[in-house]
Amino acid sequence: MDEYYQAIQALPAPLRDELSRLPAEAAGRVQEIRLRTRQPVLLTMGGRLVPCTRFLPGCRQGRYLSGEAVQQCFLALCGHSVYAYERELQEGYFTIPGGNRVGVAGVRGPGGFAVVTALNLRIARWVTCPLPETLRRKLDSLGGGVLVAGPPGSGKTTILRSILCYLAARDRILCVADERGELMAEELEVFGDKPAVNCDTITRCSKAQAIMMAVRCLNPQILLCDELGTPADAAAVEQGVASGVVFIATVHGANRQQLERNPAVRRLLDGGAFSDAIFLAGREHPGLIRQMVALP
Protein backbone atom coordinates (compact mmCIF):
# COMPACT_ATOMS: atom_id res chain seq x y z
CA MET A 1 0.00 0.00 0.00
CA ASP A 2 1.35 3.41 -0.96
CA GLU A 3 2.43 5.71 1.86
CA TYR A 4 -0.24 8.18 0.77
CA TYR A 5 -2.96 5.94 2.16
CA GLN A 6 -1.05 5.54 5.42
CA ALA A 7 -0.50 9.28 5.81
CA ILE A 8 -4.16 10.22 5.39
CA GLN A 9 -5.16 7.93 8.27
CA ALA A 10 -4.25 10.80 10.60
CA LEU A 11 -6.93 13.08 9.06
CA PRO A 12 -10.52 13.38 10.37
CA ALA A 13 -12.85 10.61 9.24
CA PRO A 14 -15.06 12.35 6.63
CA LEU A 15 -12.14 13.83 4.70
CA ARG A 16 -9.97 10.76 5.23
CA ASP A 17 -12.66 8.49 3.83
CA GLU A 18 -13.03 10.57 0.67
CA LEU A 19 -9.29 10.90 0.06
CA SER A 20 -8.85 7.16 0.57
CA ARG A 21 -10.76 6.65 -2.70
CA LEU A 22 -7.98 8.25 -4.74
CA PRO A 23 -6.89 5.77 -7.43
CA ALA A 24 -3.64 3.98 -6.65
CA GLU A 25 -1.91 5.29 -9.78
CA ALA A 26 -2.57 8.87 -8.71
CA ALA A 27 -1.82 8.20 -5.02
CA GLY A 28 1.69 7.04 -5.90
CA ARG A 29 2.41 10.42 -7.50
CA VAL A 30 1.15 12.61 -4.63
CA GLN A 31 4.00 14.50 -2.99
CA GLU A 32 1.96 16.74 -0.69
CA ILE A 33 -1.61 17.30 0.47
CA ARG A 34 -2.40 20.99 0.97
CA LEU A 35 -5.33 21.96 3.19
CA ARG A 36 -6.20 25.66 2.98
CA THR A 37 -9.11 27.64 4.39
CA ARG A 38 -11.78 28.43 1.77
CA GLN A 39 -9.99 26.31 -0.84
CA PRO A 40 -10.36 22.77 -2.16
CA VAL A 41 -7.94 20.07 -1.07
CA LEU A 42 -4.92 20.41 -3.35
CA LEU A 43 -2.43 17.70 -4.24
CA THR A 44 1.15 18.43 -5.24
CA MET A 45 2.05 16.14 -8.14
CA GLY A 46 5.16 16.61 -10.23
CA GLY A 47 5.78 19.95 -8.53
CA ARG A 48 2.34 21.33 -9.52
CA LEU A 49 -0.90 21.84 -7.58
CA VAL A 50 -3.87 19.71 -8.66
CA PRO A 51 -7.36 19.89 -7.06
CA CYS A 52 -8.30 16.52 -5.59
CA THR A 53 -11.62 16.77 -7.45
CA ARG A 54 -9.76 16.07 -10.69
CA PHE A 55 -9.44 12.46 -9.52
CA LEU A 56 -12.41 12.45 -7.12
CA PRO A 57 -15.22 14.25 -8.96
CA GLY A 58 -17.80 13.15 -6.37
CA CYS A 59 -15.74 14.44 -3.46
CA ARG A 60 -17.73 16.73 -1.14
CA GLN A 61 -15.48 17.21 1.90
CA GLY A 62 -12.45 18.05 -0.25
CA ARG A 63 -14.24 20.48 -2.54
CA TYR A 64 -14.17 23.34 -0.02
CA LEU A 65 -12.50 23.54 3.41
CA SER A 66 -13.91 25.86 6.05
CA GLY A 67 -11.70 27.40 8.72
CA GLU A 68 -13.21 24.98 11.22
CA ALA A 69 -12.38 22.02 8.96
CA VAL A 70 -8.73 23.08 8.69
CA GLN A 71 -8.57 23.48 12.48
CA GLN A 72 -10.05 19.99 12.92
CA CYS A 73 -7.42 18.60 10.54
CA PHE A 74 -4.68 20.33 12.55
CA LEU A 75 -5.92 18.83 15.82
CA ALA A 76 -6.34 15.38 14.29
CA LEU A 77 -2.82 15.41 12.82
CA CYS A 78 -1.50 16.43 16.26
CA GLY A 79 -3.42 13.58 17.85
CA HIS A 80 -5.29 16.27 19.82
CA SER A 81 -2.06 16.85 21.79
CA VAL A 82 -0.72 20.12 20.42
CA TYR A 83 1.56 20.52 23.45
CA ALA A 84 3.50 17.41 22.36
CA TYR A 85 4.68 19.31 19.27
CA GLU A 86 5.37 22.69 20.88
CA ARG A 87 9.09 22.75 20.04
CA GLU A 88 8.58 21.85 16.38
CA LEU A 89 5.65 24.23 15.99
CA GLN A 90 7.92 27.09 17.00
CA GLU A 91 9.66 26.37 13.68
CA GLY A 92 6.38 26.19 11.74
CA TYR A 93 6.01 22.44 11.33
CA PHE A 94 5.58 19.14 13.12
CA THR A 95 6.36 15.59 12.06
CA ILE A 96 3.86 12.81 12.62
CA PRO A 97 4.75 9.11 12.96
CA GLY A 98 6.02 7.69 9.70
CA GLY A 99 8.16 10.74 8.92
CA ASN A 100 5.36 12.81 7.36
CA ARG A 101 6.10 16.51 7.91
CA VAL A 102 3.19 18.92 8.35
CA GLY A 103 3.92 22.56 7.54
CA VAL A 104 1.66 25.06 9.31
CA ALA A 105 0.53 28.56 8.30
CA GLY A 106 -1.73 30.98 10.11
CA VAL A 107 -1.72 33.64 12.81
CA ARG A 108 1.04 33.29 15.37
CA GLY A 109 0.46 34.26 18.98
CA PRO A 110 2.75 34.36 22.04
CA GLY A 111 2.12 30.70 22.77
CA GLY A 112 2.13 29.38 19.21
CA PHE A 113 -0.42 29.40 16.38
CA ALA A 114 -3.56 31.20 17.55
CA VAL A 115 -5.30 30.43 14.24
CA VAL A 116 -4.31 27.77 11.71
CA THR A 117 -5.31 28.63 8.14
CA ALA A 118 -3.29 26.12 6.09
CA LEU A 119 -1.54 22.78 6.43
CA ASN A 120 0.89 21.07 4.08
CA LEU A 121 1.12 17.33 4.68
CA ARG A 122 4.22 16.03 2.93
CA ILE A 123 4.04 12.33 2.06
CA ALA A 124 7.18 10.59 3.29
CA ARG A 125 8.30 7.61 1.21
CA TRP A 126 11.34 5.42 1.42
CA VAL A 127 12.66 6.45 -1.99
CA THR A 128 16.20 6.04 -3.24
CA CYS A 129 17.69 6.48 -6.69
CA PRO A 130 20.71 5.18 -8.61
CA LEU A 131 23.82 7.30 -8.09
CA PRO A 132 25.88 8.30 -11.14
CA GLU A 133 29.31 6.72 -11.52
CA THR A 134 31.10 10.02 -10.91
CA LEU A 135 29.40 10.39 -7.54
CA ARG A 136 30.06 6.76 -6.58
CA ARG A 137 33.76 7.25 -7.31
CA LYS A 138 33.74 10.39 -5.17
CA LEU A 139 32.11 8.52 -2.28
CA ASP A 140 34.56 5.62 -2.56
CA SER A 141 37.48 7.96 -1.88
CA LEU A 142 35.66 10.52 0.24
CA GLY A 143 38.12 13.01 1.68
CA GLY A 144 35.95 16.07 2.21
CA GLY A 145 32.36 17.05 2.86
CA VAL A 146 29.63 17.02 0.21
CA LEU A 147 26.71 19.44 -0.02
CA VAL A 148 23.52 18.37 -1.81
CA ALA A 149 21.81 21.59 -2.94
CA GLY A 150 18.50 22.36 -4.57
CA PRO A 151 15.17 24.13 -4.10
CA PRO A 152 12.39 22.63 -1.96
CA GLY A 153 10.93 19.50 -3.52
CA SER A 154 13.96 18.80 -5.72
CA GLY A 155 14.78 15.45 -4.08
CA LYS A 156 17.56 16.44 -1.67
CA THR A 157 16.43 13.92 0.93
CA THR A 158 16.17 11.20 -1.73
CA ILE A 159 19.78 11.77 -2.83
CA LEU A 160 20.99 11.96 0.78
CA ARG A 161 19.23 8.69 1.62
CA SER A 162 20.71 7.06 -1.51
CA ILE A 163 24.20 8.19 -0.50
CA LEU A 164 23.60 6.84 3.00
CA CYS A 165 22.59 3.42 1.68
CA TYR A 166 25.58 3.34 -0.69
CA LEU A 167 28.05 4.13 2.11
CA ALA A 168 26.38 1.80 4.62
CA ALA A 169 26.85 -1.09 2.19
CA ARG A 170 30.59 -0.34 2.23
CA ASP A 171 30.96 -0.64 6.00
CA ARG A 172 31.65 3.01 6.71
CA ILE A 173 30.94 4.21 10.26
CA LEU A 174 27.90 6.41 9.72
CA CYS A 175 25.70 8.59 11.88
CA VAL A 176 22.54 10.45 10.84
CA ALA A 177 21.28 13.63 12.54
CA ASP A 178 17.61 13.30 11.58
CA GLU A 179 16.09 16.34 13.29
CA ARG A 180 12.61 16.01 11.80
CA GLY A 181 12.36 12.25 11.70
CA GLU A 182 11.97 12.29 7.91
CA LEU A 183 15.20 10.83 6.61
CA MET A 184 15.13 7.51 8.47
CA ALA A 185 11.73 7.48 10.28
CA GLU A 186 13.21 5.60 13.22
CA GLU A 187 9.91 5.33 15.06
CA LEU A 188 7.27 2.65 15.52
CA GLU A 189 5.46 3.42 12.26
CA VAL A 190 8.21 3.22 9.68
CA PHE A 191 8.30 2.87 5.91
CA GLY A 192 6.98 -0.56 5.02
CA ASP A 193 9.71 -1.21 2.44
CA LYS A 194 12.59 0.34 4.37
CA PRO A 195 15.67 -1.91 4.46
CA ALA A 196 17.91 -2.27 7.50
CA VAL A 197 20.56 0.44 7.12
CA ASN A 198 23.78 0.01 9.08
CA CYS A 199 24.07 3.40 10.78
CA ASP A 200 23.36 5.26 14.03
CA THR A 201 20.45 7.70 13.95
CA ILE A 202 19.66 10.52 16.37
CA THR A 203 16.24 12.05 15.87
CA ARG A 204 13.75 14.47 17.43
CA CYS A 205 16.36 16.95 18.63
CA SER A 206 18.04 19.85 16.89
CA LYS A 207 20.69 19.12 14.28
CA ALA A 208 23.28 20.99 16.33
CA GLN A 209 22.55 18.87 19.40
CA ALA A 210 22.49 15.64 17.40
CA ILE A 211 25.78 16.46 15.67
CA MET A 212 27.53 17.16 18.97
CA MET A 213 26.13 14.01 20.60
CA ALA A 214 27.31 11.93 17.63
CA VAL A 215 30.78 13.48 17.58
CA ARG A 216 31.26 13.00 21.33
CA CYS A 217 29.71 9.58 21.76
CA LEU A 218 29.37 7.63 18.50
CA ASN A 219 32.73 8.26 16.76
CA PRO A 220 31.41 8.50 13.19
CA GLN A 221 33.62 8.69 10.13
CA ILE A 222 30.80 10.33 8.16
CA LEU A 223 27.80 12.24 9.48
CA LEU A 224 24.73 12.95 7.33
CA CYS A 225 22.06 15.56 8.00
CA ASP A 226 19.25 17.35 6.20
CA GLU A 227 18.82 21.10 5.65
CA LEU A 228 21.75 22.95 7.19
CA GLY A 229 21.19 26.66 7.58
CA THR A 230 21.40 28.09 11.11
CA PRO A 231 24.40 29.53 12.96
CA ALA A 232 24.06 26.70 15.49
CA ASP A 233 24.24 24.16 12.63
CA ALA A 234 27.39 25.81 11.29
CA ALA A 235 29.09 25.85 14.71
CA ALA A 236 28.33 22.16 15.27
CA VAL A 237 29.61 21.20 11.82
CA GLU A 238 32.79 23.18 12.40
CA GLN A 239 33.42 21.32 15.64
CA GLY A 240 32.74 18.02 13.94
CA VAL A 241 35.13 18.81 11.08
CA ALA A 242 37.78 19.78 13.63
CA SER A 243 37.31 16.32 15.16
CA GLY A 244 37.92 14.61 11.81
CA VAL A 245 34.29 13.92 10.82
CA VAL A 246 33.26 14.22 7.15
CA PHE A 247 29.81 15.75 6.59
CA ILE A 248 27.30 15.06 3.86
CA ALA A 249 24.37 17.46 4.13
CA THR A 250 21.59 19.08 2.19
CA VAL A 251 21.00 22.79 1.84
CA HIS A 252 18.64 25.08 -0.08
CA GLY A 253 20.14 26.74 -3.16
CA ALA A 254 20.36 26.30 -6.92
CA ASN A 255 23.97 27.52 -7.34
CA ARG A 256 27.03 28.71 -5.42
CA GLN A 257 25.76 32.30 -5.34
CA GLN A 258 22.51 31.27 -3.67
CA LEU A 259 24.37 29.16 -1.13
CA GLU A 260 26.48 32.13 -0.13
CA ARG A 261 23.40 34.23 0.63
CA ASN A 262 22.97 32.19 3.79
CA PRO A 263 25.61 33.48 6.25
CA ALA A 264 25.86 30.14 8.07
CA VAL A 265 26.39 28.20 4.84
CA ARG A 266 28.86 30.79 3.54
CA ARG A 267 30.82 30.43 6.78
CA LEU A 268 31.10 26.66 6.21
CA LEU A 269 32.11 27.11 2.58
CA ASP A 270 34.76 29.66 3.48
CA GLY A 271 36.06 27.38 6.22
CA GLY A 272 36.48 24.41 3.87
CA ALA A 273 33.95 22.13 5.57
CA PHE A 274 32.78 20.92 2.14
CA SER A 275 34.91 20.03 -0.85
CA ASP A 276 32.14 19.27 -3.36
CA ALA A 277 28.59 20.34 -4.13
CA ILE A 278 25.82 18.49 -5.95
CA PHE A 279 23.16 20.71 -7.55
CA LEU A 280 19.80 19.14 -8.34
CA ALA A 281 17.61 19.85 -11.36
CA GLY A 282 14.51 21.11 -9.52
CA ARG A 283 10.95 20.31 -8.49
CA GLU A 284 9.85 18.83 -11.79
CA HIS A 285 12.70 16.27 -11.80
CA PRO A 286 13.18 15.30 -8.12
CA GLY A 287 16.41 13.43 -7.44
CA LEU A 288 18.01 14.31 -10.79
CA ILE A 289 21.57 15.62 -10.45
CA ARG A 290 22.16 18.61 -12.69
CA GLN A 291 25.78 19.33 -11.82
CA MET A 292 28.62 18.24 -9.54
CA VAL A 293 31.28 20.84 -8.79
CA ALA A 294 34.41 21.06 -6.68
CA LEU A 295 34.23 23.88 -4.17
CA PRO A 296 37.26 26.20 -4.13
Side-chain angles (χ1 to χ4, degrees), residues 211-212 215 235-247:
I211 289 169
M212 294 315 303
V215 170
V237 170
E238 287 171 338
Q239 291 189 51
V241 171
S243 300
V245 178
V246 173
F247 283 82

Side-chain angles (χ1 to χ4, degrees), residues 10-288:
L11 292 170
L15 179 60
R16 177 188 67 220
D17 294 344
E18 287 195 341
L19 293 181
S20 69
R21 301 188 185 104
L22 192 73
E25 185 277 330
R29 295 187 287 121
V30 175
Q31 299 163 302
E32 301 167 334
I33 303 171
R34 292 186 176 266
L35 311 170
R36 294 171 172 168
T37 301
R38 297 190 298 276
Q39 297 292 330
V41 173
L42 299 169
L43 309 174
T44 306
M45 307 173 76
R48 299 180 181 276
L49 291 178
V50 179
C52 72
T53 50
R54 179 177 300 181
F55 302 97
L56 298 167
C59 178
R60 296 179 59 189
Q61 296 291 327
R63 190 173 296 276
Y64 174 90
L65 293 174
S66 66
E68 180 182 358
V70 172
Q71 186 70 24
Q72 289 175 349
C73 289
F74 172 65
L75 293 174
L77 290 167
C78 287
H80 295 274
S81 298
V82 178
Y83 69 89
Y85 297 98
E86 284 180 353
R87 187 189 69 83
E88 291 179 320
L89 282 168
Q90 291 297 320
E91 304 297 326
Y93 77 96
F94 60 99
T95 306
I96 62 177
N100 301 295
R101 188 204 307 179
V102 184
V104 184
V107 181
R108 287 294 298 269
F113 281 93
V115 179
V116 173
T117 59
L119 300 164
N120 179 29
L121 173 58
R122 179 180 292 186
I123 309 301
R125 295 182 173 89
W126 183 264
V127 178
T128 58
C129 60
L131 301 177
E133 177 63 26
T134 52
L135 178 54
R136 295 200 300 270
R137 288 200 303 268
K138 170 62 65 177
L139 296 174
D140 288 338
S141 58
L142 196 62
V146 178
L147 271 181
V148 179
S154 60
K156 297 187 294 297
T157 300
T158 296
I159 291 291
L160 189 64
R161 190 182 290 136
S162 303
I163 290 173
L164 171 64
C165 292
Y166 182 86
L167 293 172
R170 281 147 185 81
D171 299 322
R172 307 299 291 269
I173 303 174
L174 307 173
C175 188
V176 180
D178 190 9
E179 179 178 16
R180 295 173 173 173
E182 296 177 312
L183 182 59
M184 295 295 290
E186 292 286 279
E187 297 177 345
L188 294 178
E189 296 182 30
V190 297
F191 303 119
D193 53 353
K194 174 189 172 185
V197 181
N198 190 16
C199 67
D200 301 313
T201 302
I202 301 173
T203 191
R204 298 296 183 167
C205 70
S206 72
K207 281 187 289 293
Q209 288 176 309
I211 289 169
M212 294 315 303
M213 284 191 282
V215 170
R216 291 169 181 159
C217 307
L218 297 173
N219 192 30
Q221 295 172 325
I222 303 168
L223 198 152
L224 300 93
C225 59
D226 228 352
E227 298 191 13
L228 290 178
T230 70
D233 295 344
V237 170
E238 287 171 338
Q239 291 189 51
V241 171
S243 300
V245 178
V246 173
F247 283 82
I248 302 177
T250 68
V251 67
H252 291 295
N255 51 51
R256 173 70 185 252
Q257 290 72 30
Q258 290 187 11
L259 298 186
E260 291 183 341
R261 291 174 189 166
N262 184 314
V265 175
R266 184 173 65 245
R267 173 173 146 188
L268 293 172
L269 294 175
D270 292 342
F274 297 95
S275 61
D276 294 273
I278 298 168
F279 292 103
L280 303 184
R283 286 178 179 270
E284 295 187 1
H285 303 283
L288 177 64

